[in-house]
């Protein structure tokens, strides 16, 4: 049923997506798959996706680090570099996100994935096996991330899931990824693309911006920081001479070379250290990004982050699409589509995530 009613690439808008979601929900409810035990889950193998004839060839090249000429790294020309975090709890979401990227890419063989995972060797071996089994042709590397140094910087926030050290791994991407990678698209694990990621990766950063993301200037920016922050002139003047707007860090185009040159990881860490001494914000890893970058980022069309589909951080209530075209759907917030689908209590828009779910169950009917 999904193949017969899925709108063609490029035709997605709010109306067509909502119609598709309602039809899928009817089909899904009729099958009533029910709750799934995720302790020993298995994933189906995804189909292989091929480049269109107009895609540039993917060539590898070798790069000697400027700090150590004995370190040689392999990178790829004409690649679209995508960075994500990986952990067992959100692996089902990550698998769906990967599939959506490949399925809608005009040059899927040119997409290189860079995954960051907790540094336990057993954990990385497990994730490597799952990825290689479901995506045997995928270009990917898993980079180990040490939780302990970051854990000491984290202050408790409004939702426990936001306090996971891996949630802060995006702060360290320029140090984790090879120096020869100059630009990367960062994606959260609770989203799917319905458009070509090559378009997003081509976002120009302009002359000075370090990252690009959709901005939301109608949001009440003051709510992201505490009265302690705003009442202290030495802190609130951080935003002097710039127009700060909210942006969601789950979808970003990052200029890694500019980040490294400006040592922005240190700037973010300094704000996290201050937060440990005096509480200046409440919401996890987002506020340090706002403090460092808000008002100084390159614009991205809002269609590339239809976020908030997971509802708020407390109850995760159902939400509708924002008006306008859709290229990426993002279930930020407490409610995750796979959890709600398994509980047979999906929100209407969760049906848009379901076709990308690779979880293998004995109840799935093969077409």
């Amino acid at each position: 049923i999904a193949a017969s009613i899925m709108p063609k690439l490029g035709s997605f808008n709010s109306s067509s997506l909502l119609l598709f979601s309602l039809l899928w929900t009817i089909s899904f409810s009729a099958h009533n798959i029910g709750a799934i035990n995720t302790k020993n889950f298995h994933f189906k193998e995804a189909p292989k996706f091929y480049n269109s004839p107009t895609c540039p060839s993917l060539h590898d090249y070798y790069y000697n680090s400027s700090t150590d000429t004995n370190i040689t790294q392999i990178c790829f020309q004409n690649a679209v570099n995508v960075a994500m975090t990986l952990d067992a709890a959100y692996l089902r979401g990550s698998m769906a996100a990967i599939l959506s990227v490949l399925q809608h890419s005009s040059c899927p063989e040119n997409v290189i994935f860079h995954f960051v995972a907790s540094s336990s060797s057993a954990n990385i071996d497990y994730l490597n096996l799952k990825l290689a089994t479901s995506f045997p042709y995928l270009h990917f590397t898993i980079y180990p991330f040490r939780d302990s140094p970051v854990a000491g910087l984290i202050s408790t926030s409004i939702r426990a899931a936001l306090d996971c050290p891996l949630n802060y791994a995006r702060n360290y991407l320029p140090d984790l990824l090879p120096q020869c990678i100059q630009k990367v698209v960062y994606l959260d694990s609770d989203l799917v693309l319905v458009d070509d990621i090559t378009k997003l990766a081509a976002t120009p950063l302009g002359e000075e911006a370090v990252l690009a993301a959709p901005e939301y200037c109608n949001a009440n920016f003051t709510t992201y920081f505490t009265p302690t922050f705003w009442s202290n002139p030495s802190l609130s003047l951080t935003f002097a001479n710039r127009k700060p707007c909210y942006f969601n860090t789950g979808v970003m185009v990052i200029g890694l070379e500019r980040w490294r040159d400006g040592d922005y990881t240190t700037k973010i860490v300094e704000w996290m250290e201050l937060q440990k001494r005096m509480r200046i914000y409440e919401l996890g890893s987002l506020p340090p990004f706002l403090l460092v970058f808000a008002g100084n980022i390159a614009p991205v069309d809002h269609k590339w982050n239809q976020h908030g589909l997971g509802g708020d951080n407390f109850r995760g209530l159902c939400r509708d699409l924002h008006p306008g075209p859709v290229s990426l759907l993002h279930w930020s917030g407490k409610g995750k589509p796979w959890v709600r689908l398994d509980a047979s209590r999906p929100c209407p828009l969760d049906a848009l995530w379901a076709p990308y779910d690779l979880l293998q169950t004995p109840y799935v009917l093969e077409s």
Side-chain angles (χ1 to χ4, degrees):
I1 186 170
S4 63
I5 65 176
M6 175 73 81
K8 292 182 179 179
L9 178 62
S11 67
F12 279 89
N13 54 42
S14 299
S15 298
S16 60
L17 282 171
L18 185 57
L19 173 62
F20 172 70
S21 73
L22 293 174
L23 290 171
W24 182 271
T25 300
I26 293 170
S27 172
F28 188 91
S29 298
H31 286 62
N32 192 22
I33 291 177
I36 297 170
N37 182 357
T38 57
K39 291 182 179 179
N40 296 302
F41 45 61
H42 300 281
F43 297 98
K44 295 174 287 187
E45 181 177 330
K48 183 178 180 181
F49 299 96
Y50 296 88
N51 281 357
S52 67
T54 58
C55 292
S57 299
L58 190 67
H59 297 293
D60 60 339
Y61 67 96
Y62 298 90
Y63 171 86
N64 287 326
S65 171
S66 59
T67 57
D68 187 348
T69 56
N70 293 320
I71 298 177
T72 301
Q73 298 168 330
I74 300 176
C75 286
F76 297 89
Q77 291 177 332
N78 302 321
V80 175
N81 292 291
V82 178
M84 299 175 66
T85 58
L86 276 185
D87 67 7
Y90 282 84
L91 185 57
R92 188 173 170 188
S94 302
M95 291 288 201
I98 297 165
L99 176 59
S100 74
V101 170
L102 297 175
Q103 181 171 327
H104 295 289
S105 174
S106 58
C107 302
E109 295 175 279
N110 288 11
V111 181
I112 310 296
F113 284 89
H114 305 270
F115 300 113
V116 180
S118 295
S119 58
S120 161
S121 58
N123 177 59
I124 291 179
D125 288 345
Y126 168 80
L127 295 172
N128 259 312
L129 177 62
K130 292 296 181 182
L131 286 173
T133 301
S134 289
F135 299 99
Y137 305 103
L138 193 70
H139 297 289
F140 75 92
T141 302
I142 299 181
Y143 303 84
F145 181 69
R146 294 176 58 236
D147 291 354
S148 52
V150 183
L153 295 170
I154 297 174
S155 301
T156 55
S157 62
I158 60 176
R159 184 157 61 91
L162 300 176
D163 301 334
C164 171
L166 197 60
N167 198 40
Y168 292 79
R170 72 194 85 186
N171 301 356
Y172 302 88
L173 282 176
D175 301 322
L176 294 168
L177 272 56
Q179 294 286 310
C180 49
I181 298 177
Q182 299 182 0
K183 193 177 187 182
V184 70
V185 178
Y186 175 82
L187 300 175
D188 272 352
S189 297
D190 52 358
L191 55 77
V192 294
L193 277 77
V194 291
D195 202 345
D196 189 348
I197 196 170
T198 305
K199 301 175 187 176
L200 178 59
T203 301
L205 293 177
E207 296 183 359
E208 296 182 355
V210 176
L211 59 84
E215 287 187 297
Y216 301 87
C217 294
N218 292 329
N220 184 355
F221 191 81
T222 61
T223 61
Y224 293 97
F225 303 95
T226 64
T228 299
F229 174 86
W230 292 114
S231 63
N232 187 325
S234 64
L235 298 178
S236 58
L237 285 174
T238 299
F239 296 113
N241 302 319
R242 52 177 165 146
K243 183 184 176 182
C245 296
Y246 162 77
F247 64 92
N248 180 276
T249 53
V251 180
M252 299 183 290
V253 180
I254 305 174
L256 298 178
E257 190 171 35
R258 291 183 180 179
W259 184 301
R260 296 176 185 119
D261 291 343
D263 194 17
Y264 285 97
T265 295
T266 298
K267 292 178 172 64
I268 290 174
V269 168
E270 287 173 347
W271 282 112
M272 293 175 66
E273 291 173 340
L274 179 61
Q275 165 76 351
K276 296 289 287 186
R277 299 195 299 272
M278 54 187 297
R279 199 165 183 86
I280 58 174
Y281 56 79
E282 302 290 352
L283 189 66
S285 61
L286 170 63
F289 263 83
L290 297 179
L291 287 160
V292 174
F293 295 113
N296 290 323
I297 70 173
V300 174
D301 193 288
H302 287 183
K303 69 180 182 178
W304 285 106
N305 196 354
Q306 283 262 356
H307 68 286
L309 303 186
D312 58 82
N313 281 300
F314 296 99
R315 291 181 293 172
L317 299 177
C318 297
R319 286 186 176 173
D320 295 328
L321 289 171
H322 311 162
V326 181
S327 291
L328 184 152
L329 299 112
H330 186 188
W331 279 261
S332 57
K334 184 178 181 180
K336 302 307 175 189
W338 55 91
V339 175
R340 297 192 291 213
L341 287 165
D342 288 353
S344 297
R345 291 184 295 179
C347 294
L349 292 178
D350 294 344
L352 299 174
W353 180 89
Y356 303 98
D357 187 10
L358 287 175
L359 188 70
Q360 182 72 62
T361 79
Y363 306 104
V364 173
L365 297 179
E366 296 295 338
S367 59

